Amino acid sequence: GSYEHLEKITKKLFDGIVAAGKEHGHAVCGGNISGMGGFFFTEGPVNCFADAAKSDKDKFGRWHRMMLERGVYLAPSQFEAAFTSLAHTEEDIDRTIEIAREVMSLL
C-alpha cells in the first residue's frame, strides 16, 4: 500500500494547491503522477513546453518566495517537478494546502 498512499497524498497536495489558486481567482492548472507533481499559473491544460512557457513565471516566483517564508519548500520553478515521500503525513499535506491558500489570497 505504500505506492497507493504516496499517490493519494500527492494528488491531495496538488489538487489542493490548484483549488486554492482557483478559489482566489488565479489561472492555475496542475496534476500529479505517483509521488511527483506540479502546477502552472496558466489556464491550461499544459501538454508541452510551449504550453508551459505561457505561464505567469513572475507570479510563480512570488508564490514560491512567500511559501518559503512560511516554511514550505517546493520545486523553485514551474518547469520542475516536486516530489512527496512516505515521510510526509496527512497533517503535512493539510498544513501545506492551508499555507498555499493563504499565499494565493495575497497574490
Side-chain angles (χ1 to χ4, degrees):
S2 296
Y3 288 107
E4 291 81 6
H5 176 72
L6 193 58
E7 170 76 24
K8 178 183 156 196
I9 65 170
T10 308
K11 180 174 177 34
K12 181 177 181 179
L13 175 63
F14 287 98
D15 286 354
I17 290 171
V18 168
K22 289 182 179 187
E23 191 177 301
H24 292 286
H26 301 288
V28 61
C29 68
N32 75 286
I33 184 165
S34 190
M36 176 177 73
F39 79 99
F40 298 90
F41 278 108
T42 188
E43 285 296 329
V46 171
N47 295 309
C48 62
F49 182 76
D51 295 340
K54 297 174 189 172
S55 301
D56 188 335
K57 292 170 273 314
D58 292 333
K59 185 181 280 188
F60 182 90
R62 290 191 311 274
W63 180 85
H64 186 267
R65 198 168 304 105
M66 292 169 78
M67 293 293 283
L68 277 176
E69 290 168 355
R70 288 159 177 79
V72 177
Y73 182 80
L74 292 167
S77 167
Q78 291 182 105
F79 304 108
E80 297 180 53
F83 297 89
T84 57
S85 74
L86 296 175
H88 290 102
T89 65
E90 291 279 344
E91 292 78 23
D92 294 330
I93 301 303
D94 291 340
R95 180 74 180 129
T96 302
I97 292 168
E98 284 308 309
I99 292 169
R101 184 172 286 118
E102 174 193 344
V103 170
M104 291 291 191
S105 76
L106 301 172
L107 288 176

